[in-house]
PDB file of all heavy atoms in Angstrom:
ATOM      1  N   GLU M  17     120.231  65.548  94.683  1.00 97.00           N
ATOM      2  CA  GLU M  17     118.862  65.159  95.032  1.00 97.00           C
ATOM      3  C   GLU M  17     117.834  65.990  94.259  1.00 97.00           C
ATOM      4  O   GLU M  17     118.136  67.046  93.697  1.00 97.00           O
ATOM      5  CB  GLU M  17     118.624  65.297  96.537  1.00 97.00           C
ATOM      6  CG  GLU M  17     119.356  64.267  97.369  1.00 97.00           C
ATOM      7  CD  GLU M  17     118.849  64.244  98.804  1.00 97.00           C
ATOM      8  OE1 GLU M  17     119.070  65.239  99.527  1.00 97.00           O
ATOM      9  OE2 GLU M  17     118.241  63.217  99.192  1.00 97.00           O
ATOM     10  N   ARG M  18     116.609  65.518  94.271  1.00 98.00           N
ATOM     11  CA  ARG M  18     115.492  66.185  93.599  1.00 98.00           C
ATOM     12  C   ARG M  18     114.808  67.101  94.600  1.00 98.00           C
ATOM     13  O   ARG M  18     114.560  66.714  95.740  1.00 98.00           O
ATOM     14  CB  ARG M  18     114.518  65.135  93.091  1.00 98.00           C
ATOM     15  CG  ARG M  18     113.317  65.649  92.326  1.00 98.00           C
ATOM     16  CD  ARG M  18     112.414  64.459  91.980  1.00 98.00           C
ATOM     17  NE  ARG M  18     111.285  64.790  91.132  1.00 98.00           N
ATOM     18  CZ  ARG M  18     111.319  64.765  89.809  1.00 98.00           C
ATOM     19  NH1 ARG M  18     112.445  64.427  89.186  1.00 98.00           N
ATOM     20  NH2 ARG M  18     110.262  65.073  89.101  1.00 98.00           N
ATOM     21  N   ALA M  19     114.476  68.322  94.151  1.00 98.00           N
ATOM     22  CA  ALA M  19     113.785  69.284  94.997  1.00 98.00           C
ATOM     23  C   ALA M  19     112.409  69.565  94.425  1.00 98.00           C
ATOM     24  O   ALA M  19     112.260  69.793  93.217  1.00 98.00           O
ATOM     25  CB  ALA M  19     114.584  70.579  95.091  1.00 98.00           C
ATOM     26  N   THR M  20     111.414  69.565  95.300  1.00 98.00           N
ATOM     27  CA  THR M  20     110.040  69.863  94.890  1.00 98.00           C
ATOM     28  C   THR M  20     109.508  70.974  95.777  1.00 98.00           C
ATOM     29  O   THR M  20     109.359  70.796  96.997  1.00 98.00           O
ATOM     30  CB  THR M  20     109.145  68.625  94.997  1.00 98.00           C
ATOM     31  OG1 THR M  20     109.701  67.567  94.192  1.00 98.00           O
ATOM     32  CG2 THR M  20     107.750  68.936  94.506  1.00 98.00           C
ATOM     33  N   LEU M  21     109.233  72.131  95.169  1.00 98.00           N
ATOM     34  CA  LEU M  21     108.745  73.305  95.889  1.00 98.00           C
ATOM     35  C   LEU M  21     107.297  73.548  95.494  1.00 98.00           C
ATOM     36  O   LEU M  21     106.945  73.446  94.318  1.00 98.00           O
ATOM     37  CB  LEU M  21     109.576  74.544  95.527  1.00 98.00           C
ATOM     38  CG  LEU M  21     111.006  74.648  96.074  1.00 98.00           C
ATOM     39  CD1 LEU M  21     111.935  73.589  95.511  1.00 98.00           C
ATOM     40  CD2 LEU M  21     111.560  76.038  95.792  1.00 98.00           C
ATOM     41  N   SER M  22     106.491  73.937  96.478  1.00 98.00           N
ATOM     42  CA  SER M  22     105.061  74.116  96.240  1.00 98.00           C
ATOM     43  C   SER M  22     104.656  75.576  96.444  1.00 98.00           C
ATOM     44  O   SER M  22     105.191  76.274  97.316  1.00 98.00           O
ATOM     45  CB  SER M  22     104.270  73.227  97.189  1.00 98.00           C
ATOM     46  OG  SER M  22     102.887  73.502  97.099  1.00 98.00           O
ATOM     47  N   CYS M  23     103.708  76.015  95.645  1.00 98.00           N
ATOM     48  CA  CYS M  23     103.108  77.341  95.781  1.00 98.00           C
ATOM     49  C   CYS M  23     101.608  77.167  95.593  1.00 98.00           C
ATOM     50  O   CYS M  23     101.158  76.673  94.546  1.00 98.00           O
ATOM     51  CB  CYS M  23     103.684  78.287  94.740  1.00 98.00           C
ATOM     52  SG  CYS M  23     102.968  79.963  94.755  1.00 98.00           S
ATOM     53  N   ARG M  24     100.848  77.547  96.606  1.00 98.00           N
ATOM     54  CA  ARG M  24      99.395  77.407  96.556  1.00 98.00           C
ATOM     55  C   ARG M  24      98.746  78.772  96.629  1.00 98.00           C
ATOM     56  O   ARG M  24      99.075  79.574  97.510  1.00 98.00           O
ATOM     57  CB  ARG M  24      98.914  76.518  97.687  1.00 98.00           C
ATOM     58  CG  ARG M  24      97.386  76.351  97.757  1.00 98.00           C
ATOM     59  CD  ARG M  24      97.001  75.183  98.636  1.00 98.00           C
ATOM     60  NE  ARG M  24      97.349  73.905  98.006  1.00 98.00           N
ATOM     61  CZ  ARG M  24      97.135  72.720  98.573  1.00 98.00           C
ATOM     62  NH1 ARG M  24      96.610  72.653  99.787  1.00 98.00           N
ATOM     63  NH2 ARG M  24      97.470  71.615  97.948  1.00 98.00           N
ATOM     64  N   ALA M  25      97.826  79.035  95.715  1.00 98.00           N
ATOM     65  CA  ALA M  25      97.126  80.317  95.649  1.00 98.00           C
ATOM     66  C   ALA M  25      95.772  80.236  96.341  1.00 98.00           C
ATOM     67  O   ALA M  25      95.099  79.201  96.305  1.00 98.00           O
ATOM     68  CB  ALA M  25      96.936  80.741  94.196  1.00 98.00           C
ATOM     69  N   SER M  26      95.360  81.346  96.960  1.00 98.00           N
ATOM     70  CA  SER M  26      94.094  81.381  97.684  1.00 98.00           C
ATOM     71  C   SER M  26      92.884  81.370  96.750  1.00 98.00           C
ATOM     72  O   SER M  26      91.761  81.109  97.193  1.00 98.00           O
ATOM     73  CB  SER M  26      94.043  82.607  98.588  1.00 98.00           C
ATOM     74  OG  SER M  26      94.182  83.793  97.830  1.00 98.00           O
ATOM     75  N   GLN M  27      93.091  81.666  95.486  1.00 98.00           N
ATOM     76  CA  GLN M  27      92.074  81.521  94.455  1.00 98.00           C
ATOM     77  C   GLN M  27      92.801  81.305  93.136  1.00 98.00           C
ATOM     78  O   GLN M  27      94.006  81.518  93.032  1.00 98.00           O
ATOM     79  CB  GLN M  27      91.153  82.735  94.387  1.00 98.00           C
ATOM     80  CG  GLN M  27      91.827  84.026  93.981  1.00 98.00           C
ATOM     81  CD  GLN M  27      90.920  85.236  94.116  1.00 98.00           C
ATOM     82  OE1 GLN M  27      90.692  85.718  95.218  1.00 98.00           O
ATOM     83  NE2 GLN M  27      90.403  85.719  92.999  1.00 98.00           N
ATOM     84  N   SER M  28      92.063  80.881  92.137  1.00 98.00           N
ATOM     85  CA  SER M  28      92.704  80.526  90.881  1.00 98.00           C
ATOM     86  C   SER M  28      93.467  81.699  90.255  1.00 98.00           C
ATOM     87  O   SER M  28      92.959  82.823  90.201  1.00 98.00           O
ATOM     88  CB  SER M  28      91.663  80.027  89.875  1.00 98.00           C
ATOM     89  OG  SER M  28      92.284  79.763  88.632  1.00 98.00           O
ATOM     90  N   VAL M  29      94.674  81.401  89.799  1.00 97.00           N
ATOM     91  CA  VAL M  29      95.467  82.373  89.038  1.00 97.00           C
ATOM     92  C   VAL M  29      95.695  81.868  87.615  1.00 97.00           C
ATOM     93  O   VAL M  29      96.586  82.346  86.912  1.00 97.00           O
ATOM     94  CB  VAL M  29      96.819  82.680  89.728  1.00 97.00           C
ATOM     95  CG1 VAL M  29      96.573  83.289  91.111  1.00 97.00           C
ATOM     96  CG2 VAL M  29      97.687  81.443  89.822  1.00 97.00           C
ATOM     97  N   SER M  30      94.877  80.897  87.184  1.00 97.00           N
ATOM     98  CA  SER M  30      95.056  80.266  85.886  1.00 97.00           C
ATOM     99  C   SER M  30      96.499  79.728  85.806  1.00 97.00           C
ATOM    100  O   SER M  30      96.936  79.011  86.699  1.00 97.00           O
ATOM    101  CB  SER M  30      94.754  81.257  84.776  1.00 97.00           C
ATOM    102  OG  SER M  30      94.802  80.631  83.526  1.00 97.00           O
ATOM    103  N   SER M  31      97.238  80.091  84.775  1.00 97.00           N
ATOM    104  CA  SER M  31      98.639  79.677  84.705  1.00 97.00           C
ATOM    105  C   SER M  31      99.579  80.855  84.895  1.00 97.00           C
ATOM    106  O   SER M  31     100.767  80.784  84.576  1.00 97.00           O
ATOM    107  CB  SER M  31      98.924  79.005  83.363  1.00 97.00           C
ATOM    108  OG  SER M  31      98.699  79.928  82.308  1.00 97.00           O
ATOM    109  N   TYR M  32      99.054  81.955  85.448  1.00 97.00           N
ATOM    110  CA  TYR M  32      99.807  83.209  85.528  1.00 97.00           C
ATOM    111  C   TYR M  32     100.683  83.281  86.774  1.00 97.00           C
ATOM    112  O   TYR M  32     100.499  84.143  87.645  1.00 97.00           O
ATOM    113  CB  TYR M  32      98.847  84.392  85.456  1.00 97.00           C
ATOM    114  CG  TYR M  32      98.003  84.407  84.208  1.00 97.00           C
ATOM    115  CD1 TYR M  32      96.668  84.812  84.256  1.00 97.00           C
ATOM    116  CD2 TYR M  32      98.530  84.015  82.977  1.00 97.00           C
ATOM    117  CE1 TYR M  32      95.884  84.835  83.107  1.00 97.00           C
ATOM    118  CE2 TYR M  32      97.751  84.030  81.828  1.00 97.00           C
ATOM    119  CZ  TYR M  32      96.435  84.448  81.901  1.00 97.00           C
ATOM    120  OH  TYR M  32      95.662  84.459  80.764  1.00 97.00           O
ATOM    121  N   LEU M  33     101.637  82.378  86.834  1.00 98.00           N
ATOM    122  CA  LEU M  33     102.509  82.291  87.989  1.00 98.00           C
ATOM    123  C   LEU M  33     103.955  82.204  87.557  1.00 98.00           C
ATOM    124  O   LEU M  33     104.288  81.515  86.587  1.00 98.00           O
ATOM    125  CB  LEU M  33     102.168  81.051  88.830  1.00 98.00           C
ATOM    126  CG  LEU M  33     102.876  81.037  90.175  1.00 98.00           C
ATOM    127  CD1 LEU M  33     101.928  81.431  91.291  1.00 98.00           C
ATOM    128  CD2 LEU M  33     103.530  79.697  90.452  1.00 98.00           C
ATOM    129  N   ALA M  34     104.807  82.934  88.282  1.00 98.00           N
ATOM    130  CA  ALA M  34     106.241  82.935  87.998  1.00 98.00           C
ATOM    131  C   ALA M  34     107.006  82.465  89.226  1.00 98.00           C
ATOM    132  O   ALA M  34     106.500  82.503  90.354  1.00 98.00           O
ATOM    133  CB  ALA M  34     106.703  84.339  87.613  1.00 98.00           C
ATOM    134  N   TRP M  35     108.223  82.028  88.978  1.00 98.00           N
ATOM    135  CA  TRP M  35     109.149  81.655  90.046  1.00 98.00           C
ATOM    136  C   TRP M  35     110.429  82.465  89.895  1.00 98.00           C
ATOM    137  O   TRP M  35     110.911  82.681  88.772  1.00 98.00           O
ATOM    138  CB  TRP M  35     109.487  80.165  89.958  1.00 98.00           C
ATOM    139  CG  TRP M  35     108.380  79.231  90.268  1.00 98.00           C
ATOM    140  CD1 TRP M  35     107.480  78.691  89.384  1.00 98.00           C
ATOM    141  CD2 TRP M  35     108.033  78.698  91.558  1.00 98.00           C
ATOM    142  NE1 TRP M  35     106.612  77.859  90.041  1.00 98.00           N
ATOM    143  CE2 TRP M  35     106.921  77.846  91.381  1.00 98.00           C
ATOM    144  CE3 TRP M  35     108.567  78.846  92.850  1.00 98.00           C
ATOM    145  CZ2 TRP M  35     106.331  77.140  92.434  1.00 98.00           C
ATOM    146  CZ3 TRP M  35     107.975  78.159  93.892  1.00 98.00           C
ATOM    147  CH2 TRP M  35     106.880  77.313  93.678  1.00 98.00           C
ATOM    148  N   TYR M  36     110.975  82.894  91.043  1.00 98.00           N
ATOM    149  CA  TYR M  36     112.222  83.650  91.079  1.00 98.00           C
ATOM    150  C   TYR M  36     113.195  82.949  92.028  1.00 98.00           C
ATOM    151  O   TYR M  36     112.775  82.356  93.019  1.00 98.00           O
ATOM    152  CB  TYR M  36     112.004  85.078  91.601  1.00 98.00           C
ATOM    153  CG  TYR M  36     111.062  85.906  90.762  1.00 98.00           C
ATOM    154  CD1 TYR M  36     109.688  85.810  90.939  1.00 98.00           C
ATOM    155  CD2 TYR M  36     111.551  86.778  89.798  1.00 98.00           C
ATOM    156  CE1 TYR M  36     108.818  86.560  90.173  1.00 98.00           C
ATOM    157  CE2 TYR M  36     110.686  87.545  89.026  1.00 98.00           C
ATOM    158  CZ  TYR M  36     109.325  87.426  89.220  1.00 98.00           C
ATOM    159  OH  TYR M  36     108.468  88.172  88.452  1.00 98.00           O
ATOM    160  N   GLN M  37     114.461  83.091  91.738  1.00 98.00           N
ATOM    161  CA  GLN M  37     115.517  82.622  92.625  1.00 98.00           C
ATOM    162  C   GLN M  37     116.236  83.850  93.188  1.00 98.00           C
ATOM    163  O   GLN M  37     116.516  84.799  92.447  1.00 98.00           O
ATOM    164  CB  GLN M  37     116.523  81.757  91.853  1.00 98.00           C
ATOM    165  CG  GLN M  37     117.679  81.247  92.702  1.00 98.00           C
ATOM    166  CD  GLN M  37     118.845  80.737  91.852  1.00 98.00           C
ATOM    167  OE1 GLN M  37     119.534  81.512  91.189  1.00 98.00           O
ATOM    168  NE2 GLN M  37     119.052  79.429  91.865  1.00 98.00           N
ATOM    169  N   GLN M  38     116.538  83.818  94.470  1.00 98.00           N
ATOM    170  CA  GLN M  38     117.326  84.891  95.064  1.00 98.00           C
ATOM    171  C   GLN M  38     118.433  84.302  95.935  1.00 98.00           C
ATOM    172  O   GLN M  38     118.170  83.469  96.805  1.00 98.00           O
ATOM    173  CB  GLN M  38     116.460  85.835  95.905  1.00 98.00           C
ATOM    174  CG  GLN M  38     117.232  87.058  96.398  1.00 98.00           C
ATOM    175  CD  GLN M  38     116.390  88.014  97.206  1.00 98.00           C
ATOM    176  OE1 GLN M  38     115.476  87.624  97.917  1.00 98.00           O
ATOM    177  NE2 GLN M  38     116.701  89.314  97.105  1.00 98.00           N
TER     178      GLN M  38
END
Side-chain angles (χ1 to χ4, degrees):
Chain M
E17 289 193 293
R18 182 184 186 90
T20 303
L21 288 66
S22 173
C23 178
R24 178 164 290 179
S26 59
Q27 64 188 76
S28 176
V29 299
S30 185
S31 62
Y32 302 142
L33 190 103
W35 292 91
Y36 299 83
Q37 179 196 69
Q38 187 179 33

